[in-house]
Amino acid sequence: MKVFEKIKKLWDSFKSFDLQKKIIIVIISILVCANIVLGIVIFSKRHISSVLVENVVNNQKESLIAINSNARKGVIKNNDYAFFKFSESQKNIIEEVYKEFDSCSIIVRIALEPTKKQNEIINLTDSLLFKFGFLPKSFFNSKGKLVQDEFELNKLNAIISNQSKSPRFVDYSIAIPKVKNGKIEIPEGFFIYSSLKTNILGCCVAPANLGFDCSLEIPFYGYASNGGQVDFSNSSFDFTGGSLVFTTINDNKKTMPIYEVVFSENEENKSTLEKSSSTDILFGGEKFYLKNMKGVKKIQIPSSSLKSSFTDVTIKENKDIVSILLKEAIHNQNEKEILVPIKTDPGLILNYPVENWRTVDYEIFEWDRFDKILFFDTKDYDIQNRFFRRLAFFVEKEGYKGKILTNEQLEGKHGFNAHDYSADSMAKFFNKAKELKVQLNYEEELLYRILLENNLIYLDGGVVKPNEGGIVSISQETPGWSRRRLLAHEGWHTLYFRDVEFRNYVSAVYHTMDQYSLQFLKDYFASQKNLGYDQNDEYLMQNEFMAYTMQQPLNEVGKNFVNWSNWKSVFEYTPDLAAYVRNNKGRGFEDAAIALNEFVFDKYGIVCGNIAIVNKY
């Protein structure tokens, strides 16, 4: 009752005021109520950050939990921290991304907005630090409050950069540690420290990439959970933390990640036949020589091809032509068989460590510049024969073409020490085998599954149809000097299979070259009984002419054919033409090679004798 009496007295007093006083009282009351409401709203949203976290998978956005006012505003003014915490739904997003991509990272986008006073000191000191790192659960009490002091914070791993050398906008990424004992260790949140005024523009959850990408409008720097020092000159990067993010072994379930080197698109920096443009990169203690060729955008280097897979990388020469150096995971492995190839340059296949193969018997690679070109390297000729010998007789061997031999018929017969087949010829082989109900062996059935998985062939109503592309096979049993030449020889075949323009150009050179030299080559084929090429097959003859002419460097072409002309088996079979080639020092083949070399350099950026653009020292 007393409350109502007081309200009545106030109302009676209010009625006694004149109009001007009543208006003033109403305005003051409204302002007081508005401030109370605003205070309630601010209090209720004191933990809602203006910084949104985005899930790159579905593009959904949600505010982070702010632990302090800097995090709430998304602004650090001077030598201070912003502390953020993940909500349970955000932790679920992190877990989902990790499970889908086998890795996950938190990326923050920041903008340096130094004050006038801060601008005056930027060039005077190297101690303007930026830090970005995870906050572990142990740093929070049971009520979710951050309880650690600055000394403990300074001990945390973090990405550290010098803001006096930083671009205005930067994307920083730090990866979630890989699964241990089947459990994803998701951090409770993250912190950002800045010496200068910094705006935190956004955050996203994405698969992990380590390295730098300065080709973007906003440069990217990605690190493992142990952080690292940013080199804004982009001449080095420490990938030793990669073992905390990616698998460290190759097997039938997972494949070790790749390094991806992307060249700038400036045509002035590309190699010509007269002038080479390249960069030397040190992967730990191993030196790689990478050619910057026309048409080459990126080179993929498997970490499993290195002596130390997770190491520091330094660009020693021409760092300006490298715009991206990233390390990323390889996905989509079949848990029972190795069907997915490792993408790389052919130059790394020859000395790829056998101990890092994903199977004991073979490894498969895909040319990183040309899809649907697969390279098989086998433990020995026996394994290679089980994959390709029956196919060799079906596709190329004179007297056997179009026939599928039984195991008994194949007994004691030799295929080749290296192989190449087009998608078209392999599709015909598998259709014929099905038609005749031939029981293929395990490796041949495996080859079929590999071709399907990588889209060299496809099924159309039960019929095998070809796409473009082809395969190459070499063996560890072949001596090293021969493996290099065979890889070039067979590699040229695959480009011939997939590119009609190249085939047409080869045909033009074939029909216009010195015909005595060409006939010598045909006689050479006939004199070597182990080859058994069907010389009635014009496609095969043009393809082999090209590969034999281009398998060695340009300055060795003439010498190679002169050497063959001196073989007893060749001289006895075709004495006049052997003498002709000796007398003109193989000039007919050299002229053909020069014409072919100019074409493939302009089209593919590679040259006779070397289909690779990566050399490892």
Side-chain angles (χ1 to χ4, degrees), residues 229-292:
Q229 183 74 43
V230 178
D231 176 9
F232 286 120
S233 73
N234 301 321
S235 59
S236 64
F237 198 94
D238 185 357
F239 288 96
T240 54
S243 59
L244 303 174
V245 183
F246 304 117
T247 181
T248 57
I249 58 172
N250 275 351
D251 58 23
N252 61 336
K253 295 181 180 179
K254 293 183 179 180
T255 300
M256 292 171 68
I258 59 170
Y259 291 93
E260 186 173 275
V261 180
V262 180
F263 292 120
S264 71
E265 297 183 3
N266 187 345
E267 288 297 319
E268 294 180 0
N269 292 329
K270 297 295 183 180
S271 291
T272 64
L273 278 173
E274 297 75 28
K275 182 182 177 182
S276 177
S277 175
S278 62
T279 183
D280 289 348
I281 301 183
L282 287 177
F283 287 84
E286 296 180 276
K287 186 176 182 180
F288 287 74
Y289 175 79
L290 283 66
K291 302 174 188 176
N292 184 18

Side-chain angles (χ1 to χ4, degrees), residues 540-571:
L540 176 63
M541 283 295 97
Q542 292 185 24
N543 195 359
E544 294 300 340
F545 147 74
M546 175 275 302
Y548 277 94
T549 303
M550 300 183 71
Q551 68 183 9
Q552 57 276 306
L554 202 57
N555 62 356
E556 295 180 14
V557 173
K559 298 175 185 176
N560 183 63
F561 285 95
V562 169
N563 179 50
W564 287 350
S565 73
N566 288 317
W567 288 7
K568 182 180 178 181
S569 59
V570 177
F571 183 77

Side-chain angles (χ1 to χ4, degrees), residues 107-165:
I107 305 172
V108 295
R109 175 166 293 178
I110 64 98
L112 287 181
E113 302 285 356
T115 63
K116 183 178 180 181
K117 186 175 181 180
Q118 290 172 344
N119 269 320
E120 293 174 355
I121 66 168
I122 283 180
N123 297 322
L124 301 177
T125 178
D126 285 335
S127 60
L128 298 175
L129 295 181
F130 173 90
K131 296 182 180 181
F132 167 40
F134 287 135
L135 291 170
K137 193 171 184 179
S138 60
F139 273 50
F140 294 83
N141 64 19
S142 58
K143 296 181 180 180
K145 182 180 179 181
L146 187 66
V147 293
Q148 297 299 320
D149 57 23
E150 189 162 336
F151 174 78
E152 293 295 327
L153 286 167
N154 285 332
K155 290 166 60 178
L156 289 175
N157 291 321
I159 298 173
I160 300 174
S161 68
N162 180 358
Q163 291 182 306
S164 64
K165 297 180 180 179

Side-chain angles (χ1 to χ4, degrees), residues 303-315:
S303 57
S304 52
S305 69
L306 306 173
K307 291 180 181 177
S308 179
S309 300
F310 303 96
T311 185
D312 56 305
V313 177
T314 304
I315 304 173

Side-chain angles (χ1 to χ4, degrees), residues 478-493:
T478 303
W481 64 268
S482 182
R483 274 168 59 84
R484 181 171 296 279
R485 180 165 289 191
L486 287 173
L487 186 70
H489 179 107
E490 309 299 349
W492 289 122
H493 283 317

